[in-house]
Amino acid sequence: MPRALAELAQSDVAAVAAIEARQHLTPWGASSFEDALRCGWHTTVLRDEVNPGLPTVVGYFVAMSAGDDEELLTLTVAPEYEGRGYGRILLETLLLEATARGAKRLFLEVRQSNQRAIHLYETAGFKMTGMRKNYYVTPADSVSGRPAGRENALLMVRVLNALKESPA
Ligand SMILES: CC(C)(COP(=O)(O)OP(=O)(O)OC[C@H]1O[C@@H](n2cnc3c(N)ncnc32)[C@H](O)[C@@H]1OP(=O)(O)O)[C@@H](O)C(=O)NCCC(=O)NCCS
């Protein structure tokens, strides 16, 4: 079994932070992943321990509970492994875990331009529930000539367990 899902470990932090830096315009640093471990947030890493020459970490996610709800904070697949279904496996894993924990809804925010992630979320049953205008910072990029700016966030939600009315 070449690939395995596990909770994020302190020994994964450097690899995960390196992937994060390559895959996000405003990446989490190692200290954010260490905070996630300290706070007991829900973390999962998918490791590949057999393919020589490829990174050990395939992808990962971090989510946190907020009352009856959960929020997906980061979901990332290493560039070498993109487009092979691992993003969907990680997302379905979180949906199963959050449902088993009794969460009612799973929320997330995504850059409006991130069509790849939006497609993944929509086909996993997420619905757009709002927009945060100019929410994300977009740093300038001297290589492409992209100027610094800001971008809207789409707020999406997936209902997991039916919301029940509390008895009066
Ligand atoms: C978004 C991300 C997690 C997807 O991971 P992945 O392993 O490449 O995704 P999968 O291979 O499981 O593919 C998921 C779907 O995206 C589709 N997809 C792939 N490239 C796409 C593109 N350029 N545009 C739209 N959809 C695309 C796939 O076809 C698949 O849909 P399908 O099953 O209906 O065919 C990954 O690209 C990533 O880490 N991106 C950078 C970080 C990021 O944006 N994270 C999300 C922040 S909210």
Side-chain angles (χ1 to χ4, degrees):
M1 167 63 182
R3 313 231 155 88
L5 287 162
E7 273 184 52
L8 189 75
Q10 179 63 43
S11 54
D12 295 312
V13 165
V16 157
I19 293 169
E20 181 86 5
R22 293 167 72 201
Q23 287 289 61
H24 291 270
L25 291 169
T26 47
W28 279 22
S31 62
S32 299
F33 290 100
E34 280 161 357
D35 286 346
L37 291 176
R38 226 180 347 265
C39 295
W41 291 348
H42 314 297
T43 63
T44 289
V45 62
L46 177 62
R47 297 196 196 96
D48 180 339
E49 278 144 2
V50 296
N51 274 330
L54 286 178
T56 303
V57 173
V58 173
Y60 53 88
F61 65 76
V62 178
M64 63 179 280
S65 294
D68 278 348
D69 296 328
E70 292 199 15
E71 185 167 356
L72 175 58
L73 300 174
T74 181
L75 166 71
T76 310
V77 170
E80 294 81 357
Y81 292 102
E82 278 185 298
R84 297 200 227 164
Y86 294 121
R88 194 175 294 284
I89 287 170
L90 285 162
L91 184 59
E92 293 294 339
T93 299
L94 174 59
L95 290 170
L96 286 172
E97 290 177 356
T99 303
R101 283 189 286 266
K104 304 284 186 248
R105 297 173 300 187
L106 178 62
F107 285 91
L108 61 84
E109 279 146 11
V110 58
R111 282 180 186 264
Q112 195 170 14
S113 65
N114 194 346
Q115 286 307 312
R116 185 176 192 139
I118 291 167
H119 171 85
L120 173 61
Y121 298 140
E122 283 179 341
T123 54
F126 283 81
K127 305 278 181 226
M128 188 179 148
T129 181
M131 179 190 285
R132 295 192 165 129
K133 280 200 154 281
N134 299 321
Y135 181 76
Y136 289 110
V137 171
T138 304
D141 179 26
S142 56
V143 178
S144 66
R146 182 190 63 215
R150 300 195 75 96
E151 180 174 359
N152 298 338
L154 303 187
L155 183 61
M156 302 186 82
V157 64
R158 166 75 144 76
V159 174
L160 303 172
N161 290 299
L163 290 164
K164 292 196 187 103
E165 292 292 324
S166 312

